[in-house]
Amino acid sequence: MNFHVPSSPTKSAPAPSRWAVWAAHLTTLVVLPSGLWRIAMVLGFPAGYTAVGFVPYETLGSKAWMLTLSVLCELVAFLTIGLVRPWGEVIPRWIPLVGGRRVRPMAVVVPAALGAVVLTALWANVPWWWTYPHPDMTSTGHLLVGILYQPLVLWGPLTAAVTISYYRRHRAAQSQASTA
């Protein structure tokens, strides 16, 4: 039994463009390498650190933090896919009380745009591995971390591009609905 109030009928937005679908899926992939690096360290692999410099995550709390950080980053990146999938337009029916309701486009666009800005600003200074040498890492480790973290530079811009696409598709649908 579903106890939701039906939302007002509105014209659905056109399908997302192929580039937007690819960009949305790419966001999950650009986050993956850095998460895998952190997971490797949790599992006890030095992952570029020197034998002396590597301090394994020995406490449950430190392991949980690194695993949580990796999973949260991937989940946040996964939300970008909602900008090109039906669950970004209508809340899935299996969600209690609100399932089946249309999502207001600005309720999606505003947090996605803010997230894109924050991610772009955050990762704009990604070259920390050569700008700020870490004495406990090997030179190969610096290169490894650089390669694994460099894709994060794309996370914010990809999210911004997909957000703009979502906004334009829904703005066009609203314009068509208001003229009908």
Side-chain angles (χ1 to χ4, degrees):
M1 188 185 238
N2 199 348
F3 294 104
H4 77 279
V5 177
S7 59
S8 62
T10 59
K11 183 155 179 66
S12 63
S17 60
R18 184 176 288 174
W19 72 262
V21 173
W22 278 95
H25 284 84
L26 187 57
T27 58
T28 62
L29 296 177
V30 300
V31 175
L32 190 60
S34 60
L36 292 175
W37 178 73
R38 288 188 296 271
I39 290 169
M41 289 193 304
V42 167
L43 294 174
F45 296 103
Y49 280 91
T50 63
V52 174
F54 178 64
V55 179
Y57 295 97
E58 294 175 356
T59 67
L60 183 61
S62 62
K63 286 183 179 188
W65 163 245
M66 289 306 264
L67 291 174
T68 300
L69 178 61
S70 296
V71 170
L72 280 177
C73 286
E74 200 61 46
L75 287 174
V76 169
F78 183 75
L79 287 175
T80 307
I81 294 175
L83 297 170
V84 297
R85 301 294 299 154
W87 53 270
E89 297 174 4
V90 177
I91 299 170
R93 291 207 176 273
W94 57 265
I95 297 178
L97 302 177
V98 294
R101 289 187 183 187
R102 286 204 165 274
V103 176
R104 291 185 177 167
M106 292 311 285
V108 173
V109 170
V110 170
L114 289 173
V117 168
V118 168
L119 289 166
T120 301
L122 177 67
W123 295 112
N125 191 26
V126 159
W128 62 267
W129 65 88
W130 74 69
T131 308
Y132 311 106
H134 195 297
D136 293 331
M137 293 192 90
T138 66
S139 57
T140 305
H142 281 279
L143 179 62
L144 174 70
V145 172
I147 291 169
L148 296 177
Y149 270 76
Q150 189 64 45
L152 290 172
V153 172
L154 299 172
W155 191 4
L158 284 170
T159 302
V162 178
T163 301
I164 290 167
S165 171
Y166 180 92
Y167 173 75
R168 286 181 177 168
R169 287 187 305 113
H170 287 81
R171 185 181 65 183
Q174 284 179 336
S175 295
Q176 289 174 356
S178 66
T179 59

